[in-house]
Amino acid sequence: MTQAGKKPHGNKKYYHVLIDINRGELFDKYIREQLKLKPTSWIRDIVYKFLQDNIDKEEYNKALKKDEDNWNQAIQNRLQGRALSKILNTIRKKQNKNERL
């Protein structure tokens, strides 16, 4: 799904938006200082709110459910990866200890 030369972003759709420097600095300052949010988080929330208000409710809920399932699967994969890494590290330590003896 990614274009050649583009870095994948996992289960996320990537948009690159350029904003003129002076208005961009005003935006960044306002969001960070007044709302205490990261600008990208604020933009994401606005996009989700727009979709919720303008897309068919059933269609939106299907997409939301798929996104939640993707997130839960990513968490499971991360936990399994950590558990496997821990097991492998334990095995390596035992092998290194035995090699020294």
Side-chain angles (χ1 to χ4, degrees), residues 37-96:
L37 295 169
K38 291 181 179 179
T40 52
S41 295
W42 184 84
I43 291 169
R44 183 178 48 245
D45 291 346
I46 293 300
V47 169
Y48 291 162
K49 178 70 172 138
F50 172 84
L51 291 172
Q52 202 170 18
D53 292 347
N54 292 284
I55 301 295
D56 175 70
K57 187 175 183 173
E58 186 176 327
E59 186 177 0
Y60 178 83
N61 287 335
K62 282 181 187 177
L64 176 61
K65 174 78 169 94
K66 286 179 183 179
D67 289 339
E68 289 171 344
D69 291 345
N70 286 341
W71 176 251
N72 289 331
Q73 185 61 53
I75 291 170
Q76 280 304 116
N77 292 346
R78 210 172 306 136
L79 291 173
Q80 289 173 355
R82 287 179 186 162
L84 181 59
S85 178
K86 191 173 183 178
I87 291 168
L88 290 173
N89 284 336
T90 301
I91 291 170
R92 286 185 190 124
K93 286 178 185 177
K94 285 181 181 179
Q95 286 177 339
N96 288 338

Side-chain angles (χ1 to χ4, degrees), residues 15-45:
Y15 293 94
H16 187 93
V17 178
L18 299 175
I19 299 176
D20 291 313
I21 189 72
N22 294 297
R23 287 175 285 171
E25 287 175 358
L26 285 175
F27 171 74
D28 192 84
K29 182 179 178 182
Y30 180 84
I31 299 298
R32 288 180 189 277
E33 292 179 5
Q34 300 299 315
L35 302 180
K36 307 291 187 215
L37 295 169
K38 291 181 179 179
T40 52
S41 295
W42 184 84
I43 291 169
R44 183 178 48 245
D45 291 346

